[in-house]
């Protein structure tokens, strides 16, 4: 009940984020139910059904990551002074965040179930009744237990991940774990993130696995979305490693962009932009890395399908839009949260007489530095990842 009251009194932007989480959960739940419908209609093609279910892992991961980011940036779940006196300590707020995430994802899953039943023809009275009855095996009874199990994947995973990320620490609070230590004075640079070496190592390992798997004779082939066959499983596993490597390297690369901006006698604008990127490296770096991974995958897919006519169906399109949309929304959520975090600094600069044009120039310089560093890196990784698949 308390979680519902906090949700009802939240800011409209926070409500919009929760609705977007519900929408992403609805899309992912519908993909899972369509996989169940395919398995019901093709009982002899168990391998193809399992492969379709495996391709749903990417939308599930993107949805869960977006839901965790929304829970982390929710103002209602942040520890504040005085809340512990009324029984709302860090542990209770973590439980509320997990409940709010579960409610939003469950709402989306129920919408997915209603839409699935409507397209099967089990629910009537609306447009497009039974429009996909043949594809969704409407001639067979729906196994309710299997459907509910699939629909529970996203709410349970998202709520558990939110609780794990926001759990109270013994030495530091949850906010301090994700933010660099704050110091006073102009000479305080934030501590660099520690994930850059691991990210580079995974990135190199993934590219090596792709190159080795593409040349290995007798490698198991998988059917990729779009109907393209003959893709070795090892190549796809290597691309997964490269995607994880980009995500891990994101904070370190963002911090490096800040260091580059402050090199060689920086002026006020470059100094503010560089320090801002260093302070926000942990907050926006991981979503930037995820977006780079999604962008490299999209570029590799376009390169791969350039000489073919893929049979891209509505489910493949929906899955691609879910992954890309969740990546963009996650970065946007983190960027808005970073803007709110530096609102005190912005207000202080304006009170000291700093022109608004300088602040706009600082923001543009930060964005330009990120594009200049991460853009070519994403292109190189995408080219290297597409070579084994094209071969």
């Amino acid at each position: 009940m308390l979680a519902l009251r906090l949700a009802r009194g939240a800011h409209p932007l926070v409500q919009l984020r929760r609705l977007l989480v519900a929408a992403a959960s609805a899309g992912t739940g519908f993909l899972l139910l369509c996989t169940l419908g395919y398995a019901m209609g093709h009982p002899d093609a168990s391998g193809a059904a399992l492969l379709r279910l495996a391709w749903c892992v990417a939308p599930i991961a993107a949805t869960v990551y977006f839901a965790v980011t929304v829970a982390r940036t929710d103002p209602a779940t942040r520890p504040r002074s005085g809340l512990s006196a009324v029984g709302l300590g860090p542990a209770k707020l973590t439980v509320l965040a997990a409940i709010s995430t579960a409610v939003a994802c469950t709402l989306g899953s129920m919408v997915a179930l209603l839409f699935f039943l409507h397209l099967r023809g089990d629910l009537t009275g609306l447009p497009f009744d039974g429009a996909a009855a043949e594809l969704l095996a409407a001639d067979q009874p729906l196994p309710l237990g299997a459907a509910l199990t699939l629909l529970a994947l996203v709410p349970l995973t998202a709520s558990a991940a939110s609780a794990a990320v926001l759990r109270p620490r013994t030495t530091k609070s949850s906010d301090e774990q994700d933010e660099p230590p704050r110091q006073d004075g102009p000479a305080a640079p934030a501590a660099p993130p520690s994930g850059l070496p691991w990210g580079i190592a995974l990135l190199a390992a993934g590219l090596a696995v792709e190159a080795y798997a593409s040349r290995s004779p007798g490698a198991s082939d998988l059917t990729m979305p779009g109907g393209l066959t003959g893709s070795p499983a090892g190549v796809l596993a290597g691309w997964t490693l490269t995607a994880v490597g980009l995500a891990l390297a994101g904070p370190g690369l963002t911090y490096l962009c800040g260091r580059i901006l402050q090199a060689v006698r920086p002026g006020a604008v470059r100094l503010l932009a560089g320090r801002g990127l260093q302070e926000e490296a942990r907050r926006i770096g991981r979503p930037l890395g995820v977006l780079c991974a999604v962008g490299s995958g999209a570029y590799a897919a376009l390169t791969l399908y350039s000489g073919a006519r893929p049979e891209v169906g509505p489910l493949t399109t929906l899955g691609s839009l879910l992954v890309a949309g969740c990546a963009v929304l996650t970065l946007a959520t983190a960027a808005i949260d970073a803007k709110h975090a530096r609102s005190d600094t912005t207000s202080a600069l304006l009170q000291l007489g700093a022109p608004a044009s300088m602040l706009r120039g600082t923001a543009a310089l930060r964005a330009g530095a990120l594009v200049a560093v991460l853009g070519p890196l994403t292109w190189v990784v995408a080219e290297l990842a597409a070579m084994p698949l094209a071969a």
Side-chain angles (χ1 to χ4, degrees):
M1 184 61 68
L2 180 58
L4 292 178
R5 289 181 178 178
L6 290 175
R8 184 181 61 183
H11 192 272
L13 182 59
V14 178
Q15 299 284 23
L16 177 61
R17 294 175 186 172
R18 292 169 179 167
L19 288 177
L20 290 175
V21 170
S25 177
T28 305
F30 182 74
L31 286 178
L32 292 171
L33 290 177
C34 289
T35 302
L36 176 61
Y38 179 85
M40 293 167 53
H42 303 80
D44 298 331
S46 59
L50 287 176
L51 184 59
R52 285 172 175 255
L53 185 61
W55 284 119
C56 293
V57 172
I60 291 175
T63 302
V64 169
Y65 186 54
F66 177 46
V68 171
T69 303
V70 170
R72 178 184 291 175
T73 57
D74 193 342
T77 61
R78 293 181 177 177
R80 292 185 294 273
S81 59
L83 290 181
S84 298
V86 295
L88 291 178
K92 186 67 177 237
L93 291 176
T94 300
V95 174
L96 291 178
I99 293 175
S100 300
T101 303
V103 169
C105 293
T106 302
L107 176 62
S109 297
M110 292 300 101
V111 172
L113 179 60
L114 293 177
F115 190 64
F116 179 78
L117 294 176
H118 170 62
L119 291 181
R120 272 173 53 94
D122 297 333
L123 298 179
T124 58
L126 294 174
F128 306 105
D129 287 337
E134 183 178 356
L135 295 177
L136 302 180
D139 56 339
Q140 301 183 21
L142 179 67
L144 187 59
L148 293 181
T149 300
L150 290 176
L151 289 177
L153 283 177
V154 174
L156 291 179
T157 306
S159 59
S162 299
V165 170
L166 299 177
R167 70 186 187 279
R169 271 71 167 182
T170 56
T171 57
K172 294 182 180 181
S173 65
S174 60
D175 289 338
E176 292 173 347
Q177 293 290 333
D178 298 319
E179 296 180 3
R182 296 184 178 180
Q183 305 176 15
D184 295 330
S194 58
L196 184 58
W198 289 104
I200 295 176
L202 283 178
L203 184 63
L207 294 175
V209 168
E210 289 184 53
Y212 177 79
S214 64
R215 299 178 182 178
S216 300
S220 58
D221 293 341
L222 297 176
T223 301
M224 296 184 64
L228 188 64
T229 59
S231 301
V235 173
L236 301 179
W239 185 87
T240 302
L241 286 177
T242 61
V244 175
L246 281 174
L248 288 178
L253 292 174
T254 304
Y255 189 90
L256 181 62
C257 291
R259 291 290 299 271
I260 293 175
L261 285 177
Q262 299 176 75
V264 191
R265 296 182 180 180
V269 176
R270 287 171 53 197
L271 187 62
L272 285 175
R275 293 291 172 86
L277 282 180
Q278 288 179 330
E279 290 290 336
E280 298 167 3
R282 288 174 174 81
R283 197 186 303 268
I284 67 172
R286 190 65 52 81
L288 272 173
V290 171
L291 185 60
C292 289
V294 173
S296 65
Y299 183 86
L302 291 176
T303 303
L304 186 62
Y305 291 129
S306 60
R309 292 184 178 180
E311 300 175 359
V312 179
L315 296 183
T316 302
T317 303
L318 176 60
S320 303
L321 290 178
L322 277 173
V323 174
C326 286
V328 173
L329 289 174
T330 301
L331 178 59
T333 301
I336 293 175
D337 185 59
K339 181 180 179 180
H340 291 165
R342 64 172 182 267
S343 59
D344 293 339
T345 302
T346 303
S347 300
L349 290 174
L350 291 176
Q351 291 177 1
L352 290 175
S357 59
M358 186 184 74
L359 299 180
R360 290 192 295 268
T362 301
L365 189 58
R366 285 198 300 265
L370 291 174
V371 172
V373 172
L374 298 180
L377 176 63
T378 303
W379 176 76
V380 170
V381 172
E383 286 285 350
L384 294 176
M387 287 180 182
L389 292 176

